[in-house]
């Protein structure tokens, strides 16, 4: 397992999505269970490659895999949520097609709504993501700050691009 995670880490560093996917497939074929570190490195590979569709797919597969009987759950924490948010923000800054931008906005809002409702289906029920926690702790503030940072960065980049073009 450690060896596969090292390979995933290398592919995350280089942003090689195809090789990261191959490692995950090979792990399944060899009867190994990807762990939280495996899914995080896969998400990082998608982030490095700035592939918003792939980061969403890795997220969903990781969550679905964790629901299987006798498997290790992928319970995303704040740092895991920041990975797709960064990819979505990158897309919003660099993609001009409105249809794609709308989809990226929808993905950001979906993450926020999933965190707010503690969606088990999306894997957003981990206690560190709670926004309705009786005890005000640093974790729920971090998850909301990650989303707020994404939205504000997008709005600033949009304002800047409008002022430069006008």
């Amino acid at each position: 397992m450690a060896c596969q995670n090292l390979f995933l880490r290398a592919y995350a560093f280089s942003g090689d999505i195809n090789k990261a996917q191959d490692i995950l497939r090979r792990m399944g074929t060899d009867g190994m269970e990807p762990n939280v570190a495996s899914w995080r490195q896969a998400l990082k590979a998608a982030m490095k490659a700035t592939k918003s569709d792939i980061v969403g797919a890795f997220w969903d597969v990781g969550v679905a895999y964790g629901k299987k009987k006798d498997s290790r759950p992928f319970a995303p924490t704040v740092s895991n949520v920041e990975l797709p948010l960064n990819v979505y923000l990158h897309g919003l800054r660099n993609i001009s097609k409105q249809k794609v931008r709308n989809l990226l906005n929808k993905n950001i809002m979906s993450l926020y709504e999933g965190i707010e409702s503690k969606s088990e289906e999306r894997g957003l029920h981990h206690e560190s993501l709670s926004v309705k926690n009786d005890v005000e702790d640093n974790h729920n503030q971090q998850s909301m700050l990650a989303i707020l940072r994404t939205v504000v960065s997008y709005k600033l980049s949009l304002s800047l691009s409008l002022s430069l073009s006008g």
Side-chain angles (χ1 to χ4, degrees):
M1 173 64 75
C3 186
Q4 284 77 9
N5 282 345
L6 282 174
F7 278 116
L8 281 170
R9 186 174 182 186
Y11 299 140
F13 183 76
S14 67
D16 193 331
I17 295 288
N18 295 328
K19 289 189 179 175
Q21 288 174 317
D22 288 343
I23 291 290
L24 289 172
R25 262 191 294 267
R26 204 169 314 139
M27 288 172 79
T29 303
D30 294 344
M32 286 188 256
E33 294 181 17
N35 59 20
V36 173
S38 308
W39 294 115
R40 181 165 173 74
Q41 293 306 323
L43 287 168
K44 281 184 174 182
M47 184 185 83
K48 179 79 173 196
T50 63
K51 300 286 187 181
S52 60
D53 55 336
I54 302 291
V55 78
F58 277 160
W59 184 282
D60 293 340
V61 170
V63 170
Y65 191 90
K67 291 179 181 179
K68 290 180 181 180
K69 186 179 178 184
D70 298 329
S71 67
R72 295 178 184 158
F74 172 60
T77 60
V78 173
S79 60
N80 297 116
V81 171
E82 285 183 297
L83 295 170
L85 284 174
N86 288 334
V87 174
Y88 301 150
L89 177 59
H90 182 272
L92 288 171
R93 288 181 177 158
N94 297 295
I95 296 173
S96 60
K97 291 183 181 179
Q98 192 58 44
K99 188 175 181 178
V100 176
R101 294 170 66 82
N102 289 343
L103 179 61
L104 293 170
N105 275 321
K106 183 180 173 185
N107 290 343
I108 291 169
M109 289 310 299
S110 174
L111 276 174
Y112 171 75
E113 290 165 357
I115 290 169
E116 188 175 47
S117 67
K118 295 184 177 182
S119 170
E120 286 191 44
E121 180 181 326
R122 296 286 329 268
L124 298 169
H125 57 286
H126 191 273
E127 64 187 38
S128 73
L129 297 174
S130 176
V131 294
K132 295 179 181 176
N133 199 338
D134 291 338
V135 178
E136 289 297 319
D137 62 12
N138 194 29
H139 295 297
N140 64 9
Q141 293 171 15
Q142 287 177 333
S143 59
M144 290 301 100
L145 281 174
I147 290 171
L148 182 63
R149 184 173 46 248
T150 302
V151 172
V152 169
S153 295
Y154 166 63
K155 293 295 185 183
L156 287 174
S157 69
L158 184 61
S159 297
L160 181 62
S161 67
L162 289 175
S163 67
L164 291 176
S165 64

